[in-house]
Amino acid sequence: DAGVIQSPRHEVTEMGQEVTLRCKPISGHDYLFWYRQTMMRGLELLIYFNNNVPIDDSGMPEDRFSAKMPNASFSTLKIQPSEPRDSAVYFCASSFFEPTMVVQYFGPGTRLLVL
Amino acid sequence: DAKTTQPNSMESNEEEPVHLPCNHSTISGTDYIHWYRQLPSQGPEYVIHGLTSNVNNRMASLAIAEDRKSSTLILHRATLRDAAVYYCILRVKGNTNAGKSTFGDGTTLTVKP
């Protein structure tokens, strides 16, 4: 398996622009997670899905952030409008629910810089 | 959620064993202890997990205290490639929200040649 795939790997944009980050989870996994990592706040969970349904979005910072999972093999995280404080590395992870443990497989991340 | 406490940083010499501690004094009976690591410029990767007994895999060993209030990740022979941030996380057995556990700040391991 190719692992979790994220695109783009790097994104530079200007304040006010819309940013769309993409994720393809590992085939067969029914959980998908979006994280954000910064030096100040570490690794934060933004939202996660189970069987394409958002389960918990309490980590989404504000209404400018939205996430969708239209099917089992694709998810997007959108920021509109973007702000410089959104600059971070965004990770997508997937897992399958197994009663005795939950192992997450992370993608390589998207490094976002908002100027 | 039960919390974990780890040292901010540790140093090791190459080819020597490394013991990374984690305290989790409020752990409950259904909490699994997971370790992940994050290499520079990469996403976190799973290392090992356990419940009560010590565990071994190809990457590392996990030693769990008898009272389960602490655990130690053991890298038997550190290499330069093991330099990373190591996260100790608690996850509840059979809980669909288990993947929501926070990662904390972790321990930054430096390996000296």
Side-chain angles (χ1 to χ4, degrees):
Chain A
D1 202 314
V4 175
I5 299 172
Q6 291 187 249
S7 64
R9 295 292 308 276
H10 302 271
E11 177 83 24
V12 181
T13 190
E14 294 188 345
M15 183 174 62
Q17 296 298 305
E18 178 179 292
V19 175
T20 300
L21 311 182
R22 296 171 177 80
C23 175
K24 176 179 169 55
I26 293 173
S27 177
H29 284 189
D30 53 3
Y31 280 82
L32 184 138
F33 307 81
W34 282 101
Y35 287 86
R36 177 174 69 175
Q37 187 172 40
T38 61
M39 289 293 292
M40 290 295 294
R41 301 174 67 91
L43 196 63
E44 306 173 274
L45 177 65
L46 301 177
I47 184 172
Y48 76 96
F49 296 81
N50 176 219
N51 291 324
N52 313 336
V53 176
I55 302 301
D56 189 335
D57 65 353
S58 59
M60 296 285 261
E62 49 197 274
D63 291 344
R64 298 184 297 107
F65 285 69
S66 63
K68 293 182 180 180
M69 192 165 185
N71 57 61
S73 59
F74 184 65
S75 177
T76 60
L77 178 67
K78 188 172 293 187
I79 308 172
Q80 166 62 18
S82 58
E83 297 182 4
R85 61 190 167 124
D86 301 330
S87 298
V89 182
Y90 290 81
F91 290 103
C92 175
S94 71
S95 71
F96 61 88
F97 175 64
E98 203 280 335
T100 58
M101 66 182 202
V102 177
V103 177
Q104 292 172 303
Y105 297 84
F106 283 77
T110 295
R111 192 172 298 272
L112 174 65
L113 178 60
V114 183
L115 303 174
Chain B
D1 288 343
K3 302 295 184 186
T4 63
T5 304
Q6 301 177 254
N8 289 333
S9 62
M10 291 186 65
E11 281 190 357
S12 171
N13 293 318
E14 196 175 11
E15 298 189 3
E16 290 186 357
V18 182
H19 291 233
L20 298 165
C22 181
N23 287 319
H24 27 78
S25 58
T26 60
I27 191 170
S28 72
T30 53
D31 284 337
Y32 275 77
I33 302 158
H34 285 239
W35 284 81
Y36 282 73
R37 73 178 185 180
Q38 187 173 18
L39 303 172
S41 300
Q42 295 188 29
E45 66 174 343
Y46 167 81
V47 177
I48 199 167
H49 79 284
L51 183 62
T52 56
S53 303
N54 294 344
V55 185
N56 299 295
N57 67 20
R58 64 174 180 81
M59 290 182 71
S61 296
L62 177 60
I64 301 172
E66 198 168 329
D67 63 4
R68 300 208 329 123
K69 294 184 184 300
S70 66
S71 61
T72 303
L73 180 70
I74 302 167
L75 307 178
H76 295 287
R77 289 182 69 226
T79 70
L80 297 179
R81 283 202 71 252
D82 290 322
V85 179
Y86 287 79
Y87 298 98
C88 170
I89 308 158
L90 301 182
R91 292 196 157 157
V92 181
K93 175 182 177 180
N95 186 333
T96 56
N97 287 326
K100 188 181 174 183
S101 305
T102 57
F103 274 69
D105 293 330
T107 296
T108 299
L109 175 65
T110 302
V111 180
K112 297 182 289 184

